[in-house]
Amino acid sequence: MKHSFITKLTLTLLLLAGVQSLYAQFRHGHTEPDELYIEVRRPGQLSEDFPKDMTDRVRVLHLRGSLNNDDMRFLRRLADRLKVVDATGKSVKAYLDLDLSEARLAQRGLFGGSQTVTTIPASTFSSWRLLRRVILPYTTEVVGERAFASCPLLEQVDMPRDVATIEAEAFIYCRHLRHITLPRDLLAIGDGCFKGCDDLAEVYLPDALEALGASAFEDCRSLKQVSIPYRLSVIPAKAFANTALKNIEIPDNIVEIGDYAFTSTPITTFHIPATLTRISVNSLRFCPRLQNIFVEQGNPNFTDMDGVLYSADGAQLLQVPTTRSGVFSIPEGVRQIEQKALNSCKGINQIDVPATVTSIGAGAFAGTGISRLTLPAGIKAISDELCYQCSALQEVSIPASVAVVGVSAFSKCTSLGTVLLPEGVSQIGKKAFSGCESLTSVQLPLQLTAIPDELFAGCSKLMATQMHEGITTIGQRAYYKCTSLTEVSLPKTTKVIGEEAFRGCKNLTMMKIYEGVQTMADKMVYDCERLQTFICLCPTPPDVSKVTNEKTALVVPAASVEAYKKAKGWKKFRTVSGI
């Protein structure tokens, strides 16, 4: 008996010594009332090893041993507690700090048992509500896709040096993430990895980094400082879009900058190195404080003139800094104005376009403060959104060479009063003049056969629309809310009338359509409160659910009166009479 007692005592002392040794290595500082250290005996046992009285109290948890899916589910329950209390039962600030540095993630082996995995699996910690700080296992090599996505309290993550890859959206929308220690041997950061981490203010990208994903730091609104490592060759699309970067140094190893890479940042001056071979024309869009773009001497692809970016041969105008104001004169010799080249340069009130220009890209002058625009004779097409939202534009001179007017080309030019389109125009894009609140009249060219969708939608002062014979189609909402229209007689060649084509024309009193109409969509004159007479010369009632209301008189061919009185969508007119 004495021997047995001594043996048990010895084992107990050894066990206690082992635990003390473990804690000495494992814990950081002294144990607090809400702090807990647990060595998991085997995978799946965490819930059994966890002290029951600490379930509602623990806020700092240190774990050692192998953890499987059952253990992670238990941790998830801790991270989603509705409240945390102290030893007296009083509610305290709820959070969970998790130290997994001495833990291992395990999965079932092929022949039973468990084996350690070096990847934090996809979505492992995603949306853990109370997770505030994490130290990852020292065995970690890969942080999986969306591993920590949308953790609302997450502030800090410490990674071991062997992590080589952080996959797509691993920390997306962790809005309070402030501190992230990236391992020195990190090779790749995936798409959208830190997107929407609002509180992240500084990032040191390790020298080993070779691949940075698109939108990696997009919408990190507090990010003011970042270093570009020397092994990285491409800054991808939206990598640092909508951040707080005021300055960024582009090293010589960067050869390409992608779409919107630095858009909507407060950068004031941007330097392009001699080695850069491609920069997207949108990479610096909507940078409200941008004053100058300078190109290092010797770059074979780009040059700058007075801080404005051009192609090396000067034939292309690529981008004008947003802060420019007054008159901007494009140099002679420029043949192409790139898309959005002067977009959002609100201070520019006049653009002088030389005769050498033959092509102007989409949205090139959108959002500028110009009041008049004269396009050169070599222009054959007005691009999409060319003058979109130029609210001061009153007059535009379009040369006879133009055959195409693009989508939303003059949309929301609220001061534009009249437009004279050349007879050679055969195609107009949808919404080309939508929202032009001051537009009173437009002479449509004779070659035009279709009035596109929403062409004049919201043109509240448009009093007359001269539609010539030859027009076959009236698009959807083509004249939506043209509240100054009073009478409309469609061409005899009209075959198709789109849905809500004249909806909301509140002062329209008379509408006339001819017998050639084959398709008439619903609600074409819906909300036309003052419509008194609707003349439809189609011998057979077009198939519609409802044309108008009981306040309107319908006039149809005399032989078709009875057919209209019985037809669906036509029988609720105030009167139906023949002509």
Side-chain angles (χ1 to χ4, degrees):
M1 290 290 291
K2 183 177 179 181
H3 181 270
S4 175
F5 173 77
I6 293 173
T7 301
K8 288 182 179 180
L9 178 62
T10 302
L11 289 174
T12 300
L13 290 172
L14 287 172
L15 178 60
L16 288 172
V19 170
Q20 292 295 327
S21 175
L22 165 65
Y23 278 5
Q25 299 176 37
F26 182 51
R27 69 184 179 182
H28 306 279
H30 300 290
T31 303
E32 300 295 334
D34 61 355
E35 189 172 10
L36 190 61
Y37 299 81
I38 296 178
E39 181 168 16
V40 182
R41 291 171 295 162
R42 60 178 182 274
Q45 292 294 113
L46 177 59
S47 60
E48 296 181 18
D49 295 340
F50 200 90
K52 303 305 179 187
D53 62 331
M54 291 294 290
T55 302
D56 293 330
R57 289 170 51 195
V58 67
R59 292 194 292 180
V60 181
L61 180 59
H62 307 262
L63 293 177
R64 186 174 189 176
S66 294
L67 307 175
N68 67 9
N69 289 339
D70 291 335
D71 299 318
M72 297 307 293
R73 280 190 285 269
F74 177 78
L75 290 175
R76 175 66 187 261
R77 290 196 293 273
L78 290 180
D80 285 346
R81 291 170 292 176
L82 295 179
K83 69 175 182 176
V84 177
V85 299
D86 61 15
T88 66
K90 181 181 178 180
S91 292
V92 294
K93 183 179 179 180
Y95 61 81
L96 179 64
D97 293 349
L98 201 54
D99 176 5
L100 301 176
S101 57
E102 296 291 323
R104 293 177 175 82
L105 300 185
Q107 65 180 14
R108 185 177 297 277
L110 184 62
F111 301 104
S114 63
Q115 60 186 29
T116 299
V117 295
T118 59
T119 297
I120 306 293
S123 302
T124 297
F125 299 94
S126 179
S127 301
W128 282 27
R129 196 171 61 86
L130 299 182
L131 189 63
R132 188 180 70 165
R133 294 174 183 164
V134 180
I135 303 175
L136 296 183
Y138 76 86
T139 55
T140 305
E141 296 177 3
V142 176
V143 178
E145 186 173 325
R146 297 184 64 84
F148 292 89
S150 301
C151 290
L153 295 186
L154 188 64
E155 295 179 4
Q156 181 173 337
V157 177
D158 291 336
M159 300 184 192
R161 59 173 294 175
D162 290 337
V163 171
T165 302
I166 305 176
E167 294 184 346
E169 301 184 356
F171 297 94
I172 191 171
Y173 301 134
C174 292
R175 300 198 181 277
H176 294 294
L177 183 65
R178 293 183 177 90
H179 307 286
I180 183 78
T181 304
L182 298 178
R184 69 180 188 182
D185 294 328
L186 183 66
L187 298 176
I189 294 176
D191 293 348
C193 189
F194 296 96
K195 181 178 179 179
C197 294
D198 289 345
D199 290 348
L200 192 63
E202 184 177 352
V203 173
Y204 174 75
L205 297 178
D207 288 339
L209 191 70
E210 297 176 350
L212 182 67
S215 299
F217 295 94
E218 182 183 1
D219 294 334
C220 292
R221 300 174 192 274
S222 300
L223 186 62
K224 295 180 179 179
Q225 189 171 345
V226 67
S227 59
I228 306 296
Y230 72 90
R231 288 189 181 181
L232 195 67
S233 60
V234 175
I235 298 176
K238 297 185 178 181
F240 302 100
N242 202 22
T243 61
L245 290 174
K246 293 182 179 179
N247 298 290
I248 184 74
E249 183 178 344
I250 308 298
D252 290 343
N253 46 286
I254 298 297
V255 297
E256 181 178 337
I257 299 176
D259 270 358
Y260 300 100
F262 298 100
T263 189
S264 300
T265 60
I267 288 174
T268 56
T269 301
F270 194 81
H271 293 270
I272 294 175
T275 52
L276 193 75
T277 59
R278 181 184 180 275
I279 181 170
S280 164
V281 294
N282 295 314
S283 59
L284 294 166
R285 293 294 172 226
F286 314 119
C287 294
R289 300 181 187 177
L290 186 63
Q291 299 173 9
N292 292 291
I293 303 171
F294 294 124
V295 180
E296 186 179 358
Q297 191 172 2
N299 189 303
N301 302 290
F302 308 105
T303 189
D304 74 87
M305 301 180 200
D306 190 30
V308 175
L309 185 63
Y310 295 85
S311 60
D313 61 2
Q316 291 176 284
L317 170 59
L318 300 178
Q319 185 168 2
V320 179
T322 317
T323 57
R324 297 301 170 95
S325 60
V327 178
F328 184 78
S329 297
I330 298 170
E332 290 284 343
V334 171
R335 295 191 298 273
Q336 179 180 344
I337 301 172
E338 191 53 73
Q339 60 174 330
K340 298 183 180 180
L342 293 96
N343 190 288
S344 299
C345 293
K346 298 177 182 179
I348 292 179
N349 54 34
Q350 180 178 325
I351 301 173
D352 295 333
V353 185
T356 54
V357 171
T358 58
S359 174
I360 305 177
F365 305 143
T368 59
I370 57 174
S371 58
R372 288 174 175 77
L373 179 63
T374 299
L375 298 175
I379 299 293
K380 295 181 180 178
I382 294 176
S383 61
D384 295 349
E385 299 185 353
L386 176 66
C387 295
Y388 177 77
Q389 225 166 20
C390 290
S391 56
L393 185 63
Q394 300 174 19
E395 182 182 325
V396 59
S397 177
I398 302 173
S401 56
V402 170
V404 176
V405 177
V407 173
S408 299
F410 299 97
S411 179
K412 296 187 179 181
C413 292
T414 53
S415 299
L416 189 62
T418 59
V419 175
L420 180 60
L421 295 173
E423 285 302 327
V425 172
S426 58
Q427 181 181 336
I428 301 178
K430 66 180 181 179
K431 299 184 179 182
F433 299 99
S434 66
C436 292
E437 297 172 356
S438 300
L439 193 64
T440 57
S441 64
V442 176
Q443 180 72 47
L444 296 175
L446 295 176
Q447 291 196 42
L448 194 68
T449 59
I451 296 177
D453 294 350
E454 300 183 53
L455 179 62
F456 298 111
C459 295
S460 55
K461 293 185 179 178
L462 188 66
M463 294 182 291
T465 176
Q466 294 147 345
M467 289 180 274
H468 55 270
E469 297 298 327
I471 288 177
T472 60
T473 302
I474 312 294
Q476 294 181 14
R477 291 192 164 200
Y479 293 89
Y480 176 72
K481 287 191 175 180
C482 290
T483 52
S484 294
L485 285 179
T486 56
E487 294 187 358
V488 172
S489 181
L490 299 185
K492 295 178 181 179
T493 51
T494 304
K495 295 181 180 180
V496 177
I497 304 173
E499 190 169 354
E500 301 182 346
F502 295 90
R503 180 173 182 171
C505 296
K506 295 185 180 298
N507 291 304
L508 187 65
T509 59
M510 192 278 291
M511 166 71 70
K512 184 176 183 180
I513 64 174
Y514 287 86
E515 62 272 16
V517 171
Q518 299 171 359
T519 302
M520 183 187 299
D522 291 340
K523 300 180 181 180
M524 63 168 287
V525 286
Y526 199 74
D527 291 336
C528 294
E529 299 169 354
R530 293 180 175 83
L531 186 62
Q532 299 172 10
T533 307
F534 189 98
I535 303 172
C536 180
L537 300 182
C538 298
T540 302
D543 185 16
V544 291
S545 60
K546 185 178 181 182
V547 179
T548 187
N549 56 42
E550 294 82 356
K551 298 179 181 180
T552 306
L554 176 63
V555 179
V556 299
S560 306
V561 170
E562 292 304 316
Y564 275 90
K565 285 182 177 180
K566 297 176 182 178
K568 180 183 177 182
W570 297 91
K571 54 188 177 182
K572 289 190 177 181
F573 278 84
R574 177 169 57 85
T575 60
V576 181
S577 59
I579 187 174

